[in-house]
Amino acid sequence: MDRNATQYLIVGGSAAGMAAAHTIRSHDPMAPVTVLTDETDKPYFRPMIPFVVSGKKKSQDMAMEGCGPYVGKDIFVKTDSRVVSVDTDSHRVFLENNQVFNYGKILFATGSRPFIPPDIKGTESNGVFALRTLAHARKMNARAAQTQHAVLLGGGLLNLKAAFALLERGIKVTLVVYSPQVLSQLMDAEDAVLIRNALDDAGLEIRTGTAAVEIESDNSGVRGIVLDDHTKISCQMVCIGKGVRPNVEFLENSKIKLEKGIVADIHTACSQSDTFAAGDVAVTHDPVSGKPVMTALWTNAVEMGRCAGLNMAGLPTAYAGTFGILNATQIANMPFVSMGLVHTKDLDCEIFRSGGQGSFRKMVFSSDGRHLIGMVLIGDISNAGLYRHVIQGKKLVEKFKHHIIGHNLHWGHFIK
Ligand SMILES: Cc1cc2nc3c(=O)[nH]c(=O)nc-3n(C[C@H](O)[C@H](O)[C@H](O)COP(=O)(O)OP(=O)(O)OC[C@H]3O[C@@H](n4cnc5c(N)ncnc54)[C@H](O)[C@@H]3O)c2cc1C
């Protein structure tokens, strides 16, 4: 078989790409499915890589192969294969190593990469990281062995995960956050109190309202960082978590429509025939606002990848879209969910906050009170799936609103 001619070609072998590959395989058992990834590692569970930094898990524990739906089913995964351009007229892709692949249908699932602020000097120094890949995690793990103090720039989820991995190794960690709070993209400051307390209790030092201007280094790598208020912090490691940028450069000279990411229609198709996009790299729609949106979430990437797989296999399937803000995870043993409209300062909407020891809930309703449009749950995240159903389905809530506010809604309320 000519491995370079494939019915289904998937660029990017992670959440979206592998979900698509396995969905295609389930519906088209015989056709060749090829996945190209520029990484040296075979597909793995990216959200787990902080465990490699902490030393709790090994690289091989991250592998997708053999896990649940990701059991190998004759899907050809080619590592070290970076796509540099695509010709959608001739259905060909060109690799950095000069190989050429022909495809019948192609999925772009190239995800995103960390943004490195160009105004910080010294980011190329040994000991500076931006945790994205398993290879990065291994390098951070090795550097951690000679690190007493790590400074992490940015207060988003990925840096908090990295911070906890380092704290678990007994390393002192300082988080430098320009905004006045951590997780500012996921919740308002007044709603983040429980998380902030949990971070303090875990021993994380947080400096808000300041930014790094320079990373200092010598022959052994990083030795300190200079902040914009001229403070110097001595450290042996810096990790940058300042957001991500979609990996679209390989399409810049193609006919594929780009608007920051790759524009995908409701059936995950791109602007040229036989082309599809899914995951972090795709621009899709927010089901509540209807606006274009890009997210950076494993579960979304898997859902959209599955949907793309169905469409590629000839089963037209509409993608339900995804919230601009949606996250469900755990930080400092504190689970939380943030979904839909959560930043409510000066907005015309109904807000109900409640909670108790170790838990917090914020429910956001539309200004006429008839729809649930956002929520933040911290500590007790039960019913999150149910509330997502209400928000995403734009359900009229009048009959069960008091149950949402009282946090005792159940699926029975939807049985007609
Ligand atoms: C440390 C960390 C922790 C996270 N924790 C969570 C969490 O708790 N919950 C959650 O929901 N999400 C989490 N995420 C985010 C989640 O991992 C991403 O949203 C998800 O991986 C996106 O999947 P994807 O398939 O769209 O893209 P990616 O996972 O980014 O994969 C894209 C792949 O394509 C490859 N690629 C890019 N360009 C090319 C090219 N030109 N040619 C060939 N290959 C290419 C990339 O190298 C990569 O392997 C975390 C991410 C990180 C880094």
Side-chain angles (χ1 to χ4, degrees):
M1 186 176 70
D2 178 4
R3 288 287 202 188
N4 287 14
T6 181
Q7 174 59 20
Y8 299 103
L9 184 63
I10 293 168
V11 190
S14 183
M18 294 313 289
H22 288 277
T23 304
I24 292 168
R25 178 51 73 239
S26 312
H27 293 277
D28 192 345
M30 300 307 287
V33 180
T34 303
V35 178
L36 301 177
T37 170
D38 60 358
E39 294 194 50
T40 49
D41 290 289
K42 282 194 161 188
Y44 56 88
F45 291 103
R46 196 175 302 286
M48 286 172 65
I49 60 175
F51 291 119
V52 172
V53 177
S54 68
K56 277 186 165 174
K57 301 262 183 196
K58 301 261 179 262
S59 286
Q60 55 268 33
D61 301 328
M62 310 285 114
M64 276 189 190
E65 206 165 9
C67 284
Y70 301 104
V71 242
K73 283 182 192 156
D74 198 19
I75 291 162
F76 178 48
V77 178
K78 209 167 165 351
T79 54
D80 297 299
S81 297
R82 183 172 186 73
V83 173
V84 288
S85 64
V86 180
D87 180 351
T88 50
D89 291 339
S90 65
H91 282 50
R92 284 186 303 167
V93 305
F94 302 86
L95 273 57
E96 196 172 46
N97 61 14
N98 294 325
Q99 287 200 40
V100 180
F101 278 73
N102 287 76
Y103 64 83
K105 294 179 184 176
I106 189 167
L107 173 69
F108 306 120
T110 48
S112 49
R113 63 176 184 283
F115 170 65
I116 308 296
D119 51 337
I120 304 177
K121 288 186 199 152
T123 52
E124 71 295 338
S125 310
N126 187 14
V128 179
F129 300 93
L131 183 60
R132 180 75 197 178
T133 66
L134 192 47
H136 295 156
R138 283 191 292 265
K139 285 186 187 152
M140 271 182 85
N141 176 297
R143 179 80 190 176
Q146 57 189 93
T147 299
Q148 294 83 49
H149 189 183
V151 175
L152 276 60
L153 308 178
L157 186 61
L158 302 193
N159 250 8
L160 288 177
K161 284 192 159 196
F164 276 88
L166 295 168
L167 283 171
E168 278 177 343
R169 292 189 60 151
I171 294 170
K172 181 179 178 197
V173 182
T174 302
L175 201 68
V176 174
V177 188
Y178 188 64
S179 54
Q181 62 164 117
V182 293
L183 297 175
S184 57
Q185 290 182 338
L186 297 178
M187 58 192 78
D188 286 334
E190 59 194 305
D191 303 325
V193 175
L194 275 183
I195 292 186
R196 175 74 198 238
N197 291 346
L199 296 176
D200 289 344
D201 292 347
L204 184 64
E205 184 188 326
I206 305 178
R207 296 195 182 198
T208 54
T210 183
V213 289
E214 185 172 359
I215 297 164
E216 296 180 326
S217 60
D218 59 19
N219 288 345
S220 62
V222 172
R223 63 181 166 82
I225 190 154
V226 184
L227 303 181
D228 56 3
D229 59 4
H230 306 293
T231 310
K232 284 191 181 189
I233 306 174
S234 166
C235 61
Q236 298 75 40
M237 182 192 285
V238 171
C239 185
I240 301 176
K242 294 277 192 182
V244 291
R245 296 291 181 271
N247 291 319
V248 292
E249 289 70 15
F250 69 107
L251 291 174
E252 270 165 7
N253 295 318
S254 75
K255 294 180 180 172
I256 298 290
K257 187 174 177 192
L258 302 176
E259 279 173 10
K260 288 190 182 155
I262 305 172
V263 177
D265 71 9
I266 191 127
H267 290 101
T268 64
C270 306
S271 57
Q272 298 297 303
S273 57
D274 299 325
T275 62
F276 298 81
D280 281 13
V281 78
V283 181
T284 174
H285 63 282
D286 185 312
V288 174
S289 68
K291 289 185 182 157
V293 70
M294 295 180 75
T295 57
L297 212 61
W298 183 270
T299 43
N300 283 348
V302 170
E303 275 177 21
M304 197 174 183
R306 277 194 197 126
C307 185
L310 289 170
N311 286 304
M312 290 171 81
L315 299 162
T317 308
Y319 181 54
T322 182
F323 298 105
I325 292 176
L326 167 62
N327 219 315
T329 191
Q330 179 161 322
I331 288 292
N333 293 326
M334 185 67 78
F336 70 88
V337 177
S338 169
M339 185 182 296
L341 193 141
V342 294
H343 294 110
T344 49
K345 194 165 178 287
D346 301 330
L347 284 188
D348 183 17
C349 50
E350 278 185 13
I351 301 164
F352 292 86
R353 287 185 173 88
S354 58
Q357 188 101 31
S359 76
F360 169 82
R361 270 191 307 280
K362 173 181 177 175
M363 292 304 190
V364 185
F365 295 89
S366 53
S367 55
D368 62 8
R370 300 176 74 200
H371 293 95
L372 182 66
I373 55 174
M375 65 162 174
V376 177
L377 307 180
I378 302 175
D380 173 8
I381 60 166
S382 56
N383 276 353
L386 199 45
Y387 297 136
R388 178 181 182 166
H389 173 75
V390 175
I391 298 173
Q392 196 154 12
K394 300 181 185 176
K395 305 274 179 213
L396 282 171
V397 296
E398 282 146 327
K399 287 194 181 142
F400 50 83
K401 188 172 177 181
H402 56 291
H403 290 298
I404 296 178
I405 296 165
H407 198 45
N408 53 17
L409 188 70
H410 55 82
W411 286 105
H413 291 114
F414 300 99
I415 297 169
K416 292 192 176 150

